[in-house]
Structures are given as C-alpha cells and as structure tokens.
C-alpha cells in the first residue's frame, strides 16, 4: 500500500505552459476530449481515419477491425503497404531527400549525418543483397548489432523485401542469441565484428559464432558482418560475408515488396512469467501507424525538431521510436552508439547542446544515475550545458519517482518542458497512457491518461472495474492496431498470457498493477503483478534467472526476487542452495562472483544478481512451495511480521536474512 499512499500524497500539478500548447498537435484538454469522444462514438472510423492520414497505402484497406477470431484480431487486413516505403521513399518523393534522417554520434564522439536519400540508398542496397542471398518475403532475419546506422538500415532492409526481423539486444549472451535464432527459425543473421561502448571494444561476432555452434539453427545460411572496429574475427568461409562487400555492387534501387497490413513486421523477444522469453509478433500497418501517430501526439514532433531517443534498437523503444516512428514522419533524430557516462557523465547534456536536441526521451534509471553523478561533479551537471533548445522531455520503461521527475523537470527542462511519462510495453507497440505535452496537466509520477482510442482500465481479479482510488489490475478493454498479434509459434501462450479466462477472455492483461486518482482519473503504475522484474527498464523473468542458476553444476535450488533499488528501480536478489555445504565468508563471496558471471554468460550481464544469499534450504510451505513473499521481505531487509507457522522450516529465515 505504501506505493499508493505516496501517489495520493503527490499534490503538485504542472499545467501545460502556453508555449507548449500553442500549435501543438493536441493543443488542450478540449482537443484531447474531442479525440477521445470520436474514438468512443465510432471506434473503427477513428482508427481508419488516422490510418489513412498517417500511412501511404499501396492498396487501400476496405475492412478495419476483424474480431471474428478474437483474441486474434486483425486490422486493415486487405490493405497493402510497405513500411520502408513509408519511412523513406515517400519523403524523398516529396522532395525531402536532402533532409537529415539520422545524426549519428559514435562512442568516440565522431558525428555522421545521414540524409533520407542516403538512408534509402543504403537500405535498398542491403535489401538487394539480401534478396540475392535468397532471403524472401516471410523469412526471419535475426539482427545482433550495436547502436548504429547499420542497425536501422538492416531493420529497414528486411521489411523492404517483406522479411520479418528479430533484433536481439547486443548485451545478450550466445545462449540467449541461440535460443532466439532457433525459436524464430532465422535464415540469416546480421551482426558486427565488435561493438564500441564506453571506449571499450566488446565482441559480437565471436558470441554469434558460439550461438550458431550451439546448434538448432542450421537454417541460418548467411552471417552478414558489419565491420565496426576492424578487430580480428574468426571466419567461416561460405557462411560469413562482410556487409560492405555484399552491398558494394548492388543497385540503390529496390522495388519495395508490398505486403498485407497484417504481415509480421517484426518479432521481438521479451520476458514473461514463465521460463522462456516470448516472441512478440507485431503487424506492419498497425505498429507503424501507432509509432507515427504517437510521434505527433506524444512528442508533438514538428518540422525543425531534433528528436533523441536514447534506447537501444534491441528493445521495443528503439524499434518504435528510432527505427520506425521518427522515420515514418520524416523527422531528424540523433542515434547514439555509446553510454551516458563516457567519457564523462555529462555526455547526454553535452550531446543535447551539440545537436540542439528539442525532444529528449530516456529512462528513469538513466536520470537517477546522472543525478548522482552530477551531485558529485558540477562539471557534468546539466546546468553546465546549454539545454535551451529542449522543449519536451520524455521517460519510459519503469515508474519515475517524483524526486527524479522534479530533478529532470528543473535541471534538464529548466522548469519549462513538459515531461511525458509514457506507459507502454513491448506488446503494445507504442505509447498507451501518457500526458500530451500541450494539453495534460502533469502530476509527477503519474502517466496520467490513455491516448485517444486506447481503452485502458483498472479491474479486479474477476475483470470487474474497480472504483478510482482503489488499486487493481491494468487492462485494455478493446483491441488496438499496434497490439501484438501472437506469440511466435505459440498461439496458446498468447491467449493464456494476455487474454486469461479469469478476466473473461476479452480483456488485454498488461501484467502491471495500477491505481486511478479519485478526482482526475489519472493512472499511476504500481509495477508488475507477475514474476517479471524491471531492472534499469529491462524486463527480466525471475524464472529465467532461476533456470540459469540451477543449470550451474554447483547449484541445487534457486529462487529469485526483486528488491527496490535507488538507481536501477529494482535489483535482482537470488537465494541459492548449493549441492555442497552452505558456504561462508570468503568462499561465499567467491562462489557468488562465479554464479554472477555464470548468469551473465547464460542470459547477459543485465541479469546478473546484485545480491546472492546462500542457505541450507529455502523457506517452503509443507506442500513444498517456495514462499516468495517472505523472500521479498528478506531481500529488502525487512523484519518478518507475517505468520510463518505454516512453514516447513522457519529457522531458515534467519540464515537467509543475514546480511552477506
Ligand atoms: C516500453 C517498455 C514494459 C513494462 C511495463 C511496466 C514498465 C514501462 C512505464 C512502466 C511505469 C512507465 N517495454 N513500464 N513504462 N512503468 N511507468 N512510464 O518498457 O516491455 O520492456 O516493459 O515496463 O511494468 O509492463 S517493456
């Protein structure tokens, strides 16, 4: 309940400032309410109107929403289009080929500008090269690349020829990459020799080699390698190809493959409550439409704006708000290879200053870590840079605490920029609940109100609406165009994860808890209600980490929970029972380090437990169920006040509660 109380205590309200409202796409609450009313009175008409306005159709659609196979919905199904045409060609055809599409800043500060014409040429060349290698419509291509122009080019080249990409974040291990290659049935892999982050070269190709060697992905015929650093790599003749070599003699003309609106645009893996990550399948028209429309509504993008989303293309935010949304509306955006703390923790502010960024979109975890850094060193404080071009700030990925919100508002936004706290998910394709910069009065820590057309609600365990002021389960009551279409290869899991029978089978279950304010109806997200952790805005399944731990030969049993963390939002805490006697002192430290590295290798460094505690056993009920509730209390260092009389082994709590 403490989360709700702190929300209800938040009384500060920041009404939209006149200059944010003037000329905004949605210029006030009246305009917002008019759109909400339009969607409510004619749901399909509303979506059809914006789909015609935002996208260029090769063949117009005649049907809008088809609910006959619910919850497998389709939108605009008989329409045909190409996402890459919408992101590139149409701007060039409109005479804007010389406009900058991407301002790329490398880890070492080197800046490269890429115009829409350049980008179209590069995408077409790679698209032709892929076609020549036999990649065709419907094939899946895995992309394992650093933040780069090539990353965006690779995604766009796939969709240009109707191939479906699945981007794997460059921080994932060879095992994670292997699982995704196998599950998605990839025919090609696009990777790089190495990636540069914070002045260090990190391997990618060798991890990709290990992933391919691990088996199950024999369908991968080609491994295309972007030469980023020129570092030494092993080479498999007949399989490995240098990207620069295969595009060299290709034409810069490539007729886009026109696909159905429902054709899978991409598959992106995300953690769920059970072991294996889910391949979230998105459609072409719906996801592109919403990425484009939210660029206009949430970010109020206008000609002359410079947009910067700091996410990685390996996450949904980098898909919708780097690879697709900004390009679909013909915007200019900054793409950054590096990390916020290199060569100093003022890098973000320095880059906003250098590139005259007007709209900046980042994660609360980055803000919190930069607050700390700038308190320690005035030189990296935002006030040491000229941030006067900024007009809108955004956050995403996790709840933002009111303190971080206020700091962001005052120090980065100079008290003048609205903050759009955007709630959404891999599965939703784009923003769902968010303030509008020219309309919505802001309350720190609240994502405020649903976008027009999004029927979000808070319900109880039976699917009944709960009154405002009472916490509950966040759901969406009607299908929307950018929602996921399926879990790749597992329709059953799609149905049970997102449209559970308990809620009546029709409500989209987001997996988050939420509460709406009594007076304003504003939503505040209270975090996941399932076994998913959010560490620095990254989604991690507790079961995934547990499976990684128990696959270590030393480990007999493991349970993983989250603990609130000042910087990362949540931190991973693992309770581990070894096959040998419970270690103590230096031995415990050493094994903990080993296990941490093990998890890093199994999943990726982001999943490494911050804290590992060893016990002779785990707290279990007499029927053998692990009491995670108790583990969460222990992880937080709380005193156990619950009744533990049903525990098989209450003494274990003292052992596990001991600070390491
Ligand atoms: C975009 C993204 C989704 C989960 C979601 C929430 C949490 C995201 C916010 C937020 C509070 C926000 N996709 N979340 N945005 N919580 N306020 N503005 O993050 O699939 O990786 O994660 O992230 O728990 O369910 S994601």
């Amino acid at each position: 309940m403490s989360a709700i109380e702190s929300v209800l205590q938040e009384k500060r309200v920041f009404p939209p400032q006149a200059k944010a409202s003037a000329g905004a796409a949605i210029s006030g609450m009246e305009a917002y309410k008019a759109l909400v009313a339009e969607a409510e009175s004619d749901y399909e008409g509303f979506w059809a109107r914006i789909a015609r306005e935002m996208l260029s159709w090769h063949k117009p659609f005649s049907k809008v929403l088809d609910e006959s196979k619910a919850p497998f919905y389709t939108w605009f199904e008989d329409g045909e289009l190409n996402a890459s045409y919408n992101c590139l060609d149409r701007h060039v055809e409109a005479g804007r080929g010389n406009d900058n599409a991407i301002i790329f800043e490398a880890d070492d500060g080197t800046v490269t500008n890429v115009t829409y014409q350049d980008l179209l040429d590069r995408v077409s060349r790679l698209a032709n090269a892929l076609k020549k290698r036999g990649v065709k419509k419907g094939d899946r291509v895995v992309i394992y690349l650093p933040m780069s122009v090539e990353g965006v080019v690779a995604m766009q080249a796939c969709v240009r020829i109707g191939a479906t990409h699945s981007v794997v974040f460059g921080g994932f291990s060879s095992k994670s990459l292997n699982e995704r290659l196998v599950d998605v049935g990839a025919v090609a892999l696009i990777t790089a020799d190495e990636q540069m982050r914070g002045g260090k070269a990190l391997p990618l190709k060798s991890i990709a080699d290990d992933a391919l060697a691990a088996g199950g992905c024999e369908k991968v015929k080609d491994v295309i390698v972007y030469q980023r650093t020129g570092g030494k790599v092993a080479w498999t003749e007949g399989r490995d190809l240098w990207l620069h070599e295969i595009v060299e003699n290709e034409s810069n003309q490539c007729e886009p493959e026109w696909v159905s609106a429902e054709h899978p645009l991409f598959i992106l893996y995300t953690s769920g409550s059970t072991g294996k990550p889910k391949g979230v399948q998105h459609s072409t028209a719906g996801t592109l439409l919403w990425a484009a429309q939210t660029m206009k509504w949430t970010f109020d993008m206008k000609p002359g704006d410079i947009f910067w989303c700091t996410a990685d293309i390996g996450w949904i935010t980098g898909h919708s708000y780097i690879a697709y949304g900004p390009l679909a509306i013909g915007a200019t955006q900054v793409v950054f290879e590096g990390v916020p703390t290199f060569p100093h923790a003022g890098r973000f502010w320095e880059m906003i200053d250098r590139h005259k960024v007007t709209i900046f979109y980042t994660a609360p975890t980055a803000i919190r870590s930069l607050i700390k850094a700038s308190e320690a060193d005035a030189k990296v404080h935002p006030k040491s840079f000229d941030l006067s071009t900024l007009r809108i700030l955004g956050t995403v990925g996790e709840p933002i605490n009111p303190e971080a919100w206020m700091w962001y508002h005052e120090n980065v936004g100079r008290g003048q920029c609205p903050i759009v706290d955007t709630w959404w998910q891999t599965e939703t394709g784009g923003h769902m609940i968010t303030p509008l910069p020219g309309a919505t009065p802001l309350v720190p820590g609240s994502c405020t109100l649903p976008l027009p057309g999004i029927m979000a609600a808070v319900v109880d365990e039976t699917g009944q609406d709960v009154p405002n002021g009472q916490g509950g389960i966040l759901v969406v009551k009607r299908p929307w165009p950018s929602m996921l279409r399926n879990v790749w290869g597992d329709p059953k899991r799609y149905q049970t994860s997102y449209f559970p029978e308990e809620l009546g089978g029709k409500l989209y279950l987001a997996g988050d808890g939420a509460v709406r304010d009594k007076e304003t109806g504003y939503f505040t997200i209270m975090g996941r209600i399932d076994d998913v952790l959010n560490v620095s805005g990254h989604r991690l399944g507790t079961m995934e980490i547990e499976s990684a731990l128990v696959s270590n030969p030393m480990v007999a049993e493991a349970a993983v929970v989250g603990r609130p963390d000042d910087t990362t939002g949540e931190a991973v805490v693992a309770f581990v029972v070894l096959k040998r006697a419970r270690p103590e002192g230096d031995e415990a430290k050493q094994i903990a380090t080993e296990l941490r590295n093990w998890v890093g290798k199994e999943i990726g460094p982001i999943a490494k437990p911050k804290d590992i505690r060893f016990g002779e056993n785990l707290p279990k009920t007499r029927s053998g169920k692990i009491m995670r509730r108790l583990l969460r209390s222990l992880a937080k260092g709380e005193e156990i006040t619950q009744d533990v009389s049903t525990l098989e082994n209450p003494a274990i709590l003292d052992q596990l509660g001991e600070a390491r």
Side-chain angles (χ1 to χ4, degrees):
M1 289 310 266
S2 65
I4 309 181
E5 277 153 24
S6 82
V7 169
L8 297 181
Q9 279 161 16
E10 183 55 69
K11 289 286 176 232
R12 289 168 289 199
V13 180
F14 296 81
Q17 299 181 13
K19 66 174 180 196
S21 303
I26 300 182
S27 58
M29 286 312 269
E30 289 314 309
Y32 166 70
K33 283 181 191 150
L35 285 164
V36 170
E38 181 193 344
E40 267 165 15
S41 69
D42 177 9
Y43 195 63
E44 292 191 30
F46 164 85
W47 286 110
R49 175 176 71 76
I50 64 170
R52 287 187 191 107
E53 275 172 23
M54 296 305 300
L55 301 180
S56 300
W57 294 86
H58 180 68
K59 177 178 164 242
F61 55 88
S62 66
K63 282 196 306 202
V64 183
L65 168 64
D66 183 348
E67 302 186 83
S68 61
K69 297 186 194 68
F72 296 90
Y73 303 100
T74 64
W75 285 89
F76 321 117
E77 194 175 9
D78 62 349
E80 284 178 15
L81 76 171
N82 179 282
S84 156
Y85 176 86
N86 273 271
C87 291
L88 303 170
D89 307 57
R90 64 169 170 168
H91 309 311
V92 172
E93 286 166 14
R96 298 202 289 105
N98 291 329
D99 288 3
N100 261 345
I102 293 176
I103 302 168
F104 177 72
E105 183 163 318
D107 192 54
D108 69 0
T110 311
V111 175
T112 320
N113 290 323
V114 184
T115 66
Y116 273 92
Q117 181 68 61
D118 293 337
L119 198 57
L120 174 58
D121 288 353
R122 287 167 72 167
V123 167
S124 301
R125 284 207 166 86
L126 179 56
N128 282 329
L130 288 171
K131 268 207 279 199
K132 190 169 281 172
R133 312 297 310 172
V135 179
K136 53 185 193 312
K137 181 178 170 185
D139 283 345
R140 275 85 56 210
V141 175
V142 166
I143 296 174
Y144 186 61
L145 282 173
M147 282 298 289
S148 52
V149 175
E150 284 69 15
V152 176
V153 168
M155 294 163 83
Q156 288 282 341
C158 287
V159 305
R160 191 165 189 89
I161 62 171
T164 299
H165 60 70
S166 187
V167 183
V168 177
F169 173 58
F172 275 121
S173 66
S174 63
K175 180 144 184 270
S176 297
L177 176 59
N178 171 269
E179 283 166 4
R180 287 158 175 76
L181 284 163
V182 173
D183 192 82
V184 88
V187 301
L189 169 64
I190 306 179
T191 187
D193 51 358
E194 295 179 304
Q195 58 179 332
M196 287 303 300
R197 287 175 70 78
K200 287 199 228 50
L202 305 166
L204 279 179
K205 171 68 164 63
S206 67
I207 298 174
D209 287 338
D210 290 348
L212 292 161
C217 33
E218 289 70 27
K219 275 175 45 188
V220 177
K221 288 281 167 293
D222 300 295
V223 176
I224 297 167
V225 188
Y226 157 48
Q227 192 167 49
R228 169 61 186 89
T229 63
K232 225 175 124 49
V233 290
W235 207 252
T236 303
E237 284 306 329
R239 183 196 75 181
D240 298 351
L241 305 156
W242 286 112
L243 176 72
H244 59 271
E245 287 179 3
I246 60 168
V247 299
E248 202 174 80
N249 295 317
E250 288 299 339
S251 157
N252 61 357
Q253 305 286 315
C254 175
E255 173 70 8
E257 179 81 35
W258 306 108
V259 298
S260 149
E262 281 296 316
H263 185 70
L265 181 66
F266 60 80
I267 295 157
L268 183 60
Y269 285 81
T270 193
S271 296
S273 31
T274 55
K276 217 174 99 181
K278 304 182 262 208
V280 170
Q281 179 187 326
H282 276 284
S283 73
T284 298
T287 299
L288 189 65
L289 164 64
W290 203 226
Q293 184 64 77
T294 50
M295 286 300 299
K296 299 225 158 172
W297 283 350
T298 311
F299 295 124
D300 190 35
M301 283 290 298
K302 294 203 251 303
D305 272 317
I306 310 275
F307 178 73
W308 183 17
C309 165
T310 68
D312 192 285
I313 51 163
W315 309 114
I316 188 68
T317 307
H319 281 59
S320 302
Y321 299 106
I322 295 177
Y324 293 107
L327 299 178
I329 63 158
T332 300
Q333 67 174 322
V334 172
V335 173
F336 177 41
E337 176 179 43
V339 298
T341 49
F342 177 82
H344 56 76
R347 182 76 182 261
F348 276 3
W349 325 130
E350 187 180 70
M351 282 180 63
I352 292 171
D353 186 344
R354 174 154 53 240
H355 301 299
K356 308 209 167 358
V357 172
T358 59
I359 301 165
F360 180 64
Y361 191 34
T362 196
T365 190
I367 298 168
R368 287 191 298 264
S369 72
L370 297 177
I371 294 175
K372 281 196 188 155
S374 63
E375 275 166 1
D377 177 4
K379 287 202 296 299
V380 301
H381 193 282
K383 294 216 157 128
S384 302
F385 301 87
D386 178 3
L387 305 184
S388 60
T389 50
L390 283 175
R391 64 181 195 91
I392 293 168
L393 301 174
T395 78
V396 59
E398 49 181 325
I400 180 162
N401 47 310
E403 299 69 41
W405 194 101
M406 287 304 300
W407 185 90
Y408 196 31
H409 190 254
E410 281 165 13
N411 296 288
V412 183
R414 312 168 323 280
Q416 297 180 32
C417 304
I419 297 179
V420 290
D421 175 354
T422 59
W423 177 84
W424 60 295
Q425 310 177 292
T426 305
E427 293 87 342
T428 69
H431 302 155
M432 299 293 279
I433 309 179
T434 175
L436 297 164
T440 318
L442 307 170
V443 172
S446 168
C447 53
T448 74
L449 297 169
L451 284 167
I454 302 300
M455 308 300 181
V458 181
V459 301
D460 65 17
E461 289 79 26
T462 63
Q464 298 303 307
D465 282 304
V466 301
N468 288 355
Q470 194 177 311
I473 300 169
L474 181 61
V475 297
V476 185
K477 291 191 161 178
R478 298 211 61 184
W480 66 102
S482 67
M483 68 190 291
L484 79 163
R485 293 299 191 269
N486 211 337
V487 170
W488 182 256
D490 200 346
K492 191 92 217 106
R493 195 165 174 203
Y494 166 82
Q495 220 156 345
T496 54
S497 306
Y498 300 111
F499 297 92
E501 282 307 323
E502 298 88 303
L503 298 181
K506 280 193 137 61
L507 303 177
Y508 168 80
L509 174 69
D512 281 318
V515 59
R516 300 187 68 167
D517 182 80
K518 272 203 183 112
E519 278 114 62
T520 58
Y522 277 14
F523 287 74
T524 294
I525 306 299
M526 288 149 55
R528 302 287 307 191
I529 53 171
D530 53 11
D531 294 319
V532 172
L533 305 183
N534 190 326
V535 180
S536 301
H538 301 316
R539 256 169 84 163
L540 296 166
T542 54
M543 304 252 219
E544 239 177 300
I545 307 174
E546 287 167 10
S547 323
L549 283 167
V550 296
S551 72
N552 182 290
M554 284 189 292
V555 176
E557 207 176 3
V560 167
V561 299
R563 169 178 77 200
D565 185 279
D566 281 351
T567 307
T568 58
E570 266 188 300
V572 178
V573 180
F575 294 89
V576 174
V577 182
L578 296 180
K579 289 175 186 160
R580 68 176 87 164
R582 173 174 181 260
E584 286 181 61
D586 282 348
E587 197 201 359
K589 273 197 195 133
Q590 186 217 318
I591 298 179
T593 306
E594 257 179 69
L595 291 180
R596 214 170 278 125
N597 292 337
W598 175 270
V599 173
K601 265 190 57 207
E602 286 287 297
I603 303 174
I606 51 172
K608 285 185 182 180
K610 183 160 183 186
D611 188 356
I612 297 186
R613 301 201 197 164
F614 297 101
E616 276 151 20
N617 206 333
L618 297 172
K620 288 181 190 153
T621 60
R622 295 214 175 92
S623 60
K625 266 201 155 146
I626 298 173
M627 300 281 286
R628 283 165 196 283
R629 199 164 38 86
L630 293 177
L631 290 177
R632 275 191 281 271
S633 300
L634 290 175
K636 277 194 243 173
E638 282 174 0
E639 219 179 301
I640 305 285
T641 51
Q642 296 105 314
D643 177 17
V644 294
S645 57
T646 54
L647 275 191
E648 168 80 38
N649 49 352
I652 205 71
L653 295 176
D654 293 333
Q655 201 176 63
L656 293 168
E658 256 175 43
R660 278 195 315 108

